[in-house]
């Protein structure tokens, strides 16, 4: 029997992980990306594999957001403009910020998180991926009692779902992370987490797919997807690719292609930024482990000879315009928690769009009414983390095999 041909649209971490596990199952792979492989949100993220971490939808989220949205120094920014789709999304998002929904989401993200950690460890070892992978956990650092209480709640929630998380006092966090300044109120340590350079991870894995006979085409913008028994995609260059199955993994840009097949996905682009600081070796004490600065949601990750500061959540539409004040917020925030932060050492500034669903879960599964077209998107703040689990899940679903985790809550038809 000939190998099934699968066309994966979008070569970010999600598309590449799907392609990898599909190839492992024997599929003939074509990955199409309108840009270079791995140059979307997957390029410059914080590089933290934060398995088991709760999603954005939390009971206190809306109240907290209201205190942040008008303050330019906080991580959240909503550009003032008329945008009915965003208004509807925010409404649905807030309706999903309940204790019950959080528990239900953790019931899905917990098993996916356990599965992804195993897959990451196996993947990096089996494929000998050179991506700076370090399974050394990460810390949360809090400056306020509100932040410390929040961290304690996350720790309790994650522990109840089988993750090794530890609440720390202010003194402990300063002792264990010497580059943290004095005067912190508390924190946490997430032992099972790992870090890597996300772009190196995606390109290394993409290279393995090509080496195994997969075809990766950059500069191929898919303009149309046709469903039905013999699905196909057409590209702006005028090429047409027929397939036995199609996977749409176009991140924050997933709405149009899915909508053409009658599926409306409530996904909003949540813009985040990074500022990388060169490690001159002079900053002492040097940050050795990744940490998230609780109140500001800035991640600080030592990565490939740099310190990456990444964060902010900006809802300003589908564009890559960078706001200098948002970039400045990263270094200003980090300087309040850590020694040795110097904006003059900046060597890279970037923004990317997180594909954020209104209910806090990714979208993984068959499009409604389509036997052979699948979506894998909506991973918001956890696309790197959930990449391997999503890829393995898609490979199971495409092959018609029983998935390792229950995929029904992730179905694109749930909205
Ligand atoms: C600042 C920041 C920090 C983050 N930190 C972390 C972190 O520490 N850990 C974590 O797990 N996650 C993190 N994330 C989230 C993570 O980066 C995303 O969830 C993830 O990258 C989404 O991957 P993706 O493959 O769905 O999308 P993308 O990486 O955006 O890939 C989508 C691809 O589809 C292509 N495409 C779009 N439309 C078309 C089309 N019509 N035809 C062909 N190709 C198309 C694009 O060119 C792109 O390459 C962070 C995000 C940001 C912005």
């Amino acid at each position: 029997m000939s190998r099934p041909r699968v066309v994966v649209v979008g070569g970010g971490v999600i598309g590449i992980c799907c392609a990898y596990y599909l190839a492992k199952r024997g599929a003939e792979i074509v990955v199409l990306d309108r840009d270079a492989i791995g140059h979307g949100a997957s390029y410059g993220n914080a590089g933290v594999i934060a398995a088991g971490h709760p999603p954005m939808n939390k009971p206190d989220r809306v109240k907290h957001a209201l205190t942040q949205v008008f303050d330019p120094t906080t991580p959240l920014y909503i550009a003032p403009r008329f945008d009915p789709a965003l208004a509807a999304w925010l409404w649905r998002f807030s309706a999903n910020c309940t204790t019950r929904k959080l528990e239900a989401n953790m019931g899905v993200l917990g098993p996916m998180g356990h599965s992804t950690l195993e897959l990451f460890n196996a993947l990096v070892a089996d494929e000998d991926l050179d991506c700076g992978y370090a399974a050394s956990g990460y810390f949360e650092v809090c400056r306020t009692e509100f932040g410390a209480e929040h961290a304690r709640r996350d720790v309790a929630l994650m522990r109840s779902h089988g993750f090794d998380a530890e609440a720390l006092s202010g003194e402990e966090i300063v002792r264990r992370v010497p580059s943290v300044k004095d005067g912190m109120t508390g924190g946490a340590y997430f032992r099972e987490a790992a870090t890597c350079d996300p772009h190196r991870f995606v390109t290394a894995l993409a290279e393995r797919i090509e080496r195994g006979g997969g075809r990766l085409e950059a500069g191929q913008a898919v303009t149309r997807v046709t469903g039905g028994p013999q699905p196909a995609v057409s590209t702006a260059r005028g090429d047409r690719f027929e397939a036995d199955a199609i996977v749409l993994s176009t991140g924050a840009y997933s709405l149009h292609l899915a909508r053409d097949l009658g599926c409306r996905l409530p996904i909003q682009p949540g813009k985040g930024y990074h500022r990388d600081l060169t490690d001159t070796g002079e900053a002492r004490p040097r940050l050795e482990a990744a940490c998230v600065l609780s109140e500001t949601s800035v991640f600080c990750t030592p990565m490939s000879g740099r310190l990456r500061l990444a964060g902010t959540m900006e809802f300003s539409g589908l564009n890559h315009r960078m706001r200098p004040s948002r970039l400045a917020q990263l270094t200003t925030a980090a300087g309040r928690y850590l020694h040795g932060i110097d904006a003059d050492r900046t060597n890279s500034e970037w923004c990317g769009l997180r594909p954020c669903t209104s209910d806090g879960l990714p979208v993984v599964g068959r499009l409604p009414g389509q036997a052979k077209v699948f979506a894998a998107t909506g991973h918001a703040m956890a696309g790197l983390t959930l990449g391997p689990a999503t890829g393995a899940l898609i490979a199971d679903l495409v092959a018609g095999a029983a998935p390792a985790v229950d995929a029904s809550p992730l179905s694109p038809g749930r909205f």
Side-chain angles (χ1 to χ4, degrees):
M1 212 181 87
S2 66
R3 298 159 70 198
R5 184 187 220 215
V6 184
V7 172
V8 177
V9 185
V13 68
I14 299 299
I16 291 299
C17 285
C18 291
Y20 174 80
Y21 287 102
L22 284 159
K24 280 208 114 178
R25 274 193 174 267
E28 179 197 334
I29 295 297
V30 180
V31 180
L32 304 174
D33 199 294
R34 63 178 179 191
D35 199 341
I37 299 293
H39 272 240
S42 306
Y43 177 80
N45 67 46
V48 180
I49 296 148
H53 209 81
M56 289 205 301
N57 301 62
K58 286 181 171 176
D60 56 359
R61 182 68 77 193
V62 177
K63 196 170 99 197
H64 188 48
L66 287 174
T67 64
Q68 295 196 322
V69 74
F70 300 112
D71 179 351
T73 64
T74 64
L76 179 68
Y77 177 74
I78 300 181
R81 73 211 157 95
F82 178 69
D83 185 342
L86 176 61
W89 184 93
L90 288 168
W91 179 256
R92 283 202 210 101
F93 178 87
S94 59
N96 280 305
C97 288
T98 62
T99 308
R100 210 160 148 203
K101 185 66 183 165
L102 178 60
E103 256 313 317
N105 282 356
M106 285 300 287
V108 182
L109 297 173
M112 275 186 98
H114 289 296
S115 147
T116 220
L117 285 172
E118 278 178 28
L119 291 168
F120 250 113
N121 288 328
L123 190 57
V124 172
D126 294 351
E127 298 293 349
D128 192 21
L129 297 183
D130 176 21
C131 61
Y133 184 74
S136 48
Y138 77 97
F139 291 90
E140 178 164 354
V141 189
C142 311
R143 290 181 79 224
T144 64
E145 196 36 55
F146 177 84
E149 174 54 28
H150 196 263
R152 283 193 288 273
R153 263 189 276 143
D154 277 358
V155 164
L157 182 63
M158 289 175 67
R159 289 178 69 90
S160 72
H161 286 272
F163 292 93
D164 188 350
E166 179 190 1
L168 301 174
S169 68
E171 292 76 36
E172 278 169 315
I173 197 90
V174 174
R175 188 174 53 77
R176 286 171 66 168
V177 189
S179 42
V180 168
K181 290 182 171 173
D182 285 336
M184 298 299 144
T185 56
Y189 179 52
F190 305 103
R191 188 169 283 105
E192 289 152 310
T195 57
C196 70
D197 182 322
H199 185 237
R200 280 169 58 198
F201 172 72
V202 173
T203 48
L205 197 55
E207 191 270 331
R208 297 302 187 274
I209 296 167
E210 272 192 311
R211 212 194 274 175
R215 191 166 142 200
L216 273 61
E217 292 200 20
Q220 280 279 28
V222 170
T223 49
R224 200 179 140 147
V225 182
T226 331
Q230 181 67 74
V233 304
S234 310
T235 72
R237 276 197 210 158
D239 295 327
R240 181 179 152 86
F241 296 82
E242 291 194 344
D244 297 297
I246 290 170
V247 180
L248 301 179
S249 48
T250 41
Y253 293 85
S254 297
L255 301 200
H256 303 293
L257 295 176
R259 193 188 296 150
D260 291 347
L261 292 172
C263 179
R264 283 184 178 273
L265 299 175
I267 291 180
Q268 278 289 325
K271 191 184 288 175
Y273 295 76
H274 89 209
R275 206 172 228 194
D276 284 351
L277 308 183
T278 312
D279 184 356
T280 55
E282 287 160 19
R284 287 284 182 269
R286 184 185 197 179
L287 185 66
E288 303 286 355
C291 53
V292 57
L293 313 175
S294 177
E295 293 79 3
T296 63
S297 304
V298 173
F299 274 87
C300 308
T301 314
M303 187 188 293
S304 303
R306 311 179 298 268
L307 176 63
R308 172 158 299 168
L309 309 178
T312 84
M313 183 61 85
E314 172 181 319
F315 292 103
S316 58
L318 210 52
N319 63 73
H320 284 82
R321 274 193 297 280
M322 290 210 262
R323 281 170 211 274
S325 59
R326 303 271 93 207
L327 286 160
Q329 190 249 343
L330 297 173
T331 19
T332 308
R336 291 202 190 103
Y337 293 74
L338 301 176
H339 295 289
I341 299 298
D342 175 5
D344 290 343
R345 288 192 285 121
T346 301
N347 77 356
S348 164
E349 292 182 329
W350 168 90
C351 75
L353 302 177
R354 305 174 183 91
C356 301
T357 59
S358 54
D359 67 357
L361 287 181
V363 177
V364 186
R366 270 190 187 80
L367 292 192
Q370 297 292 333
K372 298 185 173 182
V373 185
F374 298 78
T377 181
H379 292 76
M381 306 191 300
L384 173 66
T385 303
L386 297 176
T390 302
L393 192 52
I394 280 287
D396 285 339
L397 294 173
V398 170
V405 297
D406 178 14
S408 53
L410 306 174
S411 159
R414 70 182 186 268
F415 299 107

